[in-house]
Amino acid sequence: MKTKHHLTCLIAAVVLLFAGCNYDVPLTARPTRNIDERLLGVWLGGDEGKDTMVVRRLDDSTYVVAMDDDLYRAFHSDFAGTAFLSVQELNHGRLYVYLTAVLAADGNQLTLRTVSTKVVPEETKGRAALQKLIKANLAHPALFGEPLVFTRKK
């Protein structure tokens, strides 16, 4: 029963990760650096790796991500000494979600954490207001949601 609950929570978190796009603008006006080639590929998450996320290069500074029949555009939005990604949902509302991505040293595990709407409410409008709230809460443990872990498909 515990495993089933864990699976349900992880799947819900993955869906919310991207489907829960909340903000009207990217965290930075444009990409802050080029893509990291190590992030490209097929990533598996959830119990038994059943959730698939495909990350491809769109151009030198932008990724395209496919997950659960949805498409996203993502780019690096490094801000206040933290490596963020701004991820835009392309199928429906075109809103953004902000997250951090940490790649394991061996390149085979990717950990994602989204900015929490409890700390940075989705009603917050405009880049300046969003950046101010994020910067003020960088040390707050609740700024980010639970980690979502993906493994590179072999």
Side-chain angles (χ1 to χ4, degrees):
M1 183 71 168
K2 191 172 188 176
T3 301
K4 185 175 181 181
H5 176 70
H6 176 70
L7 172 63
T8 303
C9 289
L10 186 58
I11 289 172
V14 169
V15 169
L16 288 173
L17 168 65
F18 291 116
C21 294
N22 305 301
Y23 306 109
D24 61 344
V25 295
L27 186 57
T28 56
R30 57 188 65 73
T32 55
R33 60 185 156 111
N34 286 341
I35 65 167
D36 182 341
E37 299 274 343
R38 300 171 306 155
L39 297 177
L40 303 178
V42 178
W43 297 92
L44 305 173
D47 279 354
E48 301 176 22
K50 292 184 180 178
D51 299 317
T52 303
M53 178 175 63
V54 180
V55 180
R56 299 284 187 247
R57 160 191 239 127
L58 181 62
D59 58 38
D60 287 344
S61 59
T62 309
Y63 306 93
V64 64
V65 180
M67 188 171 180
D68 294 330
D69 297 325
D70 286 316
L71 288 175
Y72 305 88
R73 178 177 72 114
F75 58 85
H76 293 279
S77 285
D78 299 341
F79 170 73
T82 303
F84 287 97
L85 288 165
S86 289
V87 179
Q88 181 184 33
E89 187 272 328
L90 296 175
N91 291 346
H92 304 100
R94 296 192 175 262
L95 293 174
Y96 290 85
V97 64
Y98 313 137
L99 57 97
T100 61
V102 177
L103 188 63
D106 67 3
N108 290 317
Q109 183 173 305
L110 178 62
T111 303
L112 304 175
R113 296 184 76 191
T114 61
V115 168
S116 170
T117 57
K118 292 177 181 173
V119 177
V120 182
E122 55 193 15
E123 296 81 18
T124 308
K125 300 295 180 200
R127 184 173 297 109
L130 288 159
Q131 287 180 346
K132 182 178 178 181
L133 266 176
I134 289 172
K135 188 173 185 177
N137 286 287
L138 278 173
H140 193 300
L143 177 60
F144 298 103
E146 291 297 316
L148 306 170
V149 179
F150 290 85
T151 303
R152 184 179 301 281
K153 183 176 179 182
K154 298 190 188 311

